[in-house]
Amino acid sequence: MHEAVTDVLLERAQEADGLSRMVLVSVFAHAVLFAGLIAMPASWRSHSTQSDVTPMMITLNSAGTGPEAGGLTPISGRPVQEAAPAESKPAPIGPPAPKAPEMVAPEPAAKPSPKTPPKRVEKPVDKSSARKPTTGPEVKAGDARADTGGAPIEFGGLTRPSGGGLSTNSVTTDYANFCCPAYLNQMLDLIKRNWNQNQGASGQVRIKFTIGRDGILSNVQIDKPSNILLLDLETQRAILKTRALPPLPREFTESTLTVYINFDYYR
């Protein structure tokens, strides 16, 4: 057992001696190489490069008349190196200049020649004593568009009275001598705005109502019906829709005023 251990230790000692020898040999070899690099001439370590070398251009042209060069190809008399000509670019063409507007004087408009009115030929006056001038009644302007020659028709005929069925003649009050007829005209104008007289039937309706001091209408009643329900309802509706009038005039001292109005309908 002791011998085996001794043998192992000896083998390891030999291996350590061999490794030391290898390290020494490597250090020695590197030292020699480094010394050789130091002793080497500087020209061996530098590498010279030629800069700005212009390549030679040889043109093979049978038409050249250069001197004899001793070879089979003659050298032309043209220079070997030649700068390439610069490319000429065409100048840009701009758009044509705009044409200046021409000043044209307007032609004077021809004035129309004035027309002369035709001459009026006056007829000679017949001064014959045998012919007497005609005489007759004086012509007066009338209200009709055409003179028919007929006599006027009194109220109650075929013509309608003016005012569209409502006029001051259609209004009466409980006071025979009412002071202010202008107030009644204003009342009729307000009622006409709410009344539709075109009902497709003919008849007359008399209605009764009371006006207060403040103009409020009350006690609206059909005083005399037309026996046509449509006309009676339309008359009552017109008064109720009016509803209020201006206050009674100051000249009328009473507190209320009772009014009767006849509404005339035509087919």
Side-chain angles (χ1 to χ4, degrees):
M1 182 68 182
H2 181 71
E3 294 178 356
V5 173
T6 302
D7 294 337
V8 171
L9 293 175
L10 290 175
E11 290 178 0
R12 291 183 176 178
Q14 291 177 0
E15 291 178 357
D17 293 338
L19 182 60
S20 299
R21 285 195 299 271
M22 290 177 63
V23 170
L24 291 174
V25 171
S26 176
V27 170
F28 180 76
H30 282 83
V32 171
L33 180 62
F34 183 72
L37 291 175
I38 293 175
M40 183 184 300
S43 59
W44 292 9
R45 296 193 300 269
S46 63
H47 179 71
S48 62
T49 58
Q50 296 180 359
S51 61
D52 299 334
V53 176
T54 304
M56 180 181 292
M57 298 176 63
I58 300 175
T59 303
L60 300 179
N61 190 358
S62 60
T65 58
E68 292 293 337
L72 297 179
T73 57
I75 300 175
S76 174
R78 298 175 58 187
V80 176
Q81 298 180 1
E82 183 178 359
E87 297 182 0
S88 61
K89 296 182 179 180
I93 301 175
K99 186 177 180 181
E102 299 179 357
M103 300 295 292
V104 180
E107 297 181 358
K111 297 182 179 180
S113 58
K115 296 181 180 180
T116 57
K119 296 182 179 180
R120 184 177 180 182
V121 180
E122 297 181 357
K123 294 182 180 180
V125 180
D126 188 6
K127 298 182 179 180
S128 176
S129 59
R131 186 175 180 181
K132 296 181 180 181
T134 58
T135 58
E138 183 182 358
V139 179
K140 296 182 179 180
D143 296 334
R145 294 186 179 181
D147 188 6
T148 59
I153 302 174
E154 300 295 336
F155 176 71
L158 297 178
T159 58
R160 299 183 182 181
S162 61
L166 282 181
S167 63
T168 53
N169 296 330
S170 303
V171 181
T172 56
T173 64
D174 55 351
Y175 290 89
N177 298 322
F178 183 64
C179 64
C180 308
Y183 181 82
L184 298 180
N185 290 332
Q186 187 178 9
M187 175 190 67
L188 290 178
D189 291 339
L190 295 175
I191 294 174
K192 283 181 182 179
R193 298 177 185 178
N194 302 319
W195 177 49
N196 183 11
Q197 61 178 339
N198 299 321
Q199 298 297 324
S202 299
Q204 185 183 70
V205 181
R206 185 169 66 189
I207 196 166
K208 171 188 174 183
F209 57 89
T210 302
I211 306 175
R213 171 55 61 180
D214 54 357
I216 302 299
L217 304 184
S218 60
N219 300 326
V220 180
Q221 301 175 7
I222 300 296
D223 187 64
K224 182 181 178 180
S226 63
N227 298 326
I228 300 176
L229 182 60
L230 180 64
L231 304 182
D232 298 342
L233 292 177
E234 173 59 25
T235 303
Q236 193 172 13
R237 186 195 66 82
I239 302 300
L240 294 175
K241 189 174 181 181
T242 304
R243 189 171 54 185
L245 299 173
L248 291 173
R250 290 178 297 178
E251 294 81 2
F252 183 70
T253 57
E254 301 294 332
S255 59
T256 58
L257 175 66
T258 302
V259 178
Y260 300 83
I261 303 178
N262 293 327
F263 286 78
D264 292 325
Y265 292 89
Y266 301 96
R267 186 186 297 274

